[in-house]
Amino acid sequence: MRSEVTQPMKASGKSPIKLDFRNEKSHLLDKIVPILLFLCAALSILTTIGIVFTLITETFQFFQKVSIMDYLFGTKWSPLIDPKSFGVLPLLSGTFMITIIACIVAIPLGLASAIYLSEYAHKRVRKIIKPILEVLAGVPTIVYGYFALSLITPLIRGIFPDTGVFNALSAGIVVGIMIIPMVCSLSEDAMSAVPRSLRDGAYALGATRFEVALKIVVPAALSGIVASAVLAFSRAIGETMIVTVAAGATPKLTADPLESIQTMTAYIVQVSMGDTPHGSIEYGTIFAVGMTLFIITFLLNILAQYVARRFREEY
Amino acid sequence: MQTLIEINKLNLFYTAFHALKNVSLKIPEKAITAFIGPSGCGKSTLLRTLNRMNDMIPGTRIEGTIAIGGTDIYSNEVDVETLRKKVGMVFQQPNPFPKSIYDNIAYGPRLHGIRNRQQLDEIVENSLRASVLWDEVKDHLKRSAFSLSGGQQQRLCIARALAVNPDILLMDEATSALDPISTLKIEELAQELKDRYTIVMVTHNMHQAARVSNQTVFFLNGEVVEYADTEKLFSNPSDQRTEDYISGRFG
């Protein structure tokens, strides 16, 4: 550095140093890549729009032939046999019975295992168990269906001999088992995110591990836990294979979980697999039922997001 | 002054790391004792042995004894939760629970079985008065603790610790995250509290130790270099390393 230079440099063009800032490489890729990526994103959105559009038009056509009031409030569902009847309540009650049984199984067990993993388990244990749980979430649901049929149902029939081969209880329990990993994993994430300093604060007051878990960690992670429960609920509603295999095909407005029922999803499978002619009213039912299902799960997912945001305890 | 805490030939290891070396100290009751020294000298580690918060760190091993009021706190007959109730702690970062101001203070008493509403109200008021926060928050006890400023949050945490009626209050760099005015308030508070509580504070700010404490312990590399009345330690240290540290030659 020469010390006599005190004036700031001006762009006079007389600088003795020559630097070239012109483009050295092609920017073609930089221009194409965002377009390609956008197309990929657009494709998935377009597909969704297409699906919803089909659902809506087909459902609309269906409701021109069948009164929407009969559909929503009718208590008998027999679209395939005369006299035809299109009351969706039996399917809805079947679906909700499965869902409620599943949640009774999955939420306490999932939450308990999440508390264990986040508050009690040794680091090494957690490192082993968490991936296993996530693998469990990848088991094909048809396998769970046979698990229900060949293991849980005989167990239930051992206790209640009048139980049918196909029943809501067995399918509900197994749907619950299937969603435990999801509840556990999401709740555990929420609990692990609770800062160490909050736990220390409680320990320093003489709280036991259990008190810290129950009175500090769970309340602080409540938004994540509730969101995981709502998502579990939504997942149970949409579950198809287990209920098709194990819950039966008898649309029935009943409160007895030991009876055979039919869920909305299982009904859609039944019609799509059968020889119902395209374009008939019978065929239209699956779009109406599908639309009903779509609206319910859609609302639940929105609820889950709202809950996660609204009830966030700040820390 | 009577000795309340007696640490005898204490050695502490984090797996292979020798964090405290042969520490022996007698800490008097109803006074402020400050631990000073550069980062990593073991002062916080020693503080955390006093309420056994180190128990939760895997791989911690302890030799020697720490007696509080004549009982070895690492012996089998000591219940850790009861110990922590009697030896309260305030942390470096204010860590109020995500609850209301009231529930923050009532958390400890509830934990230890107090359910009576009137009794809880009393404890909350007394604790907040003791930490000089009452006048600022008495009209909105139901508000979230996060609505308070950092300094207020720290005084809330002190009140929370006092609510379970401890004998000893440990302060782990309790002002290092605060602005100078809040720091001053906490220091004044500590002065007031020492008539009723035995206070042990870790500070990396030696001026704070000089201002506030009655005794000062200087740590270096896990050892006690010098332990004396604060006035003497800062005006006439007997160890060269102490003098180097307090005159700012290192640390």
Side-chain angles (χ1 to χ4, degrees), chain A residues 83-146:
Chain A
K84 289 187 174 34
S85 171
F86 298 97
V88 80
L89 285 182
L91 290 185
L92 263 180
S93 83
T95 297
F96 277 103
M97 190 190 288
I98 295 285
T99 304
I100 286 164
I101 295 170
C103 286
I104 290 174
V105 171
I107 292 172
L109 284 177
L111 197 54
S113 27
I115 291 176
Y116 168 73
L117 280 184
S118 137
E119 301 306 305
Y120 290 88
H122 207 274
K123 227 192 216 159
R124 226 173 314 142
V125 177
R126 182 169 32 199
K127 267 196 180 149
I128 297 168
I129 291 186
K130 258 215 126 177
I132 293 180
L133 273 177
E134 266 137 40
V135 167
L136 218 56
V139 173
T141 54
I142 185 80
V143 177
Y144 282 103
Y146 281 103

Side-chain angles (χ1 to χ4, degrees), chain B residues 194-251:
Chain B
K194 78 170 179 197
D195 296 336
R196 279 181 287 160
Y197 305 94
T198 302
I199 297 178
V200 185
M201 60 162 62
V202 161
T203 174
H204 61 200
N205 173 351
M206 36 183 166
H207 303 296
Q208 180 168 65
R211 277 193 301 267
V212 184
S213 69
N214 304 100
Q215 289 79 36
T216 300
V217 189
F218 173 54
F219 288 83
L220 198 59
N221 301 326
E223 284 174 273
V224 173
V225 173
E226 188 163 352
Y227 176 28
D229 284 348
T230 299
E231 217 166 293
K232 171 171 185 302
L233 187 131
F234 280 98
S235 61
N236 184 21
S238 49
D239 193 292
Q240 185 60 39
R241 291 169 293 176
T242 313
E243 193 177 339
D244 289 349
Y245 183 72
I246 60 175
S247 56
R249 251 164 263 164
F250 75 98

Side-chain angles (χ1 to χ4, degrees), chain B residues 152-172:
Chain B
Q152 288 175 321
Q153 285 186 13
Q154 195 61 302
R155 277 181 283 148
L156 181 76
C157 292
I158 293 175
R160 185 176 71 188
L162 298 181
V164 293
N165 203 16
D167 297 307
I168 299 168
L169 191 60
L170 310 176
M171 300 172 86
D172 190 359

Side-chain angles (χ1 to χ4, degrees), chain A residues 228-240:
Chain A
S228 84
V230 178
L231 282 178
F233 198 85
S234 162
R235 180 85 172 75
I237 285 181
E239 172 45 34
T240 309

Side-chain angles (χ1 to χ4, degrees), chain B residues 57-109:
Chain B
I57 301 170
T60 308
R61 203 174 83 247
I62 273 184
E63 289 163 6
T65 58
I66 300 177
I68 296 182
T71 310
D72 180 3
I73 58 168
Y74 281 86
S75 69
N76 286 333
E77 68 225 54
V78 167
D79 173 58
V80 185
E81 280 79 38
T82 312
L83 170 74
R84 291 190 187 136
K85 181 173 173 251
K86 308 231 179 207
V87 186
M89 188 169 213
V90 182
F91 297 83
Q92 189 169 353
Q93 290 283 341
N95 59 347
F97 301 133
K99 301 176 188 293
S100 70
I101 294 170
Y102 185 98
D103 287 337
N104 260 278
I105 311 290
Y107 180 85

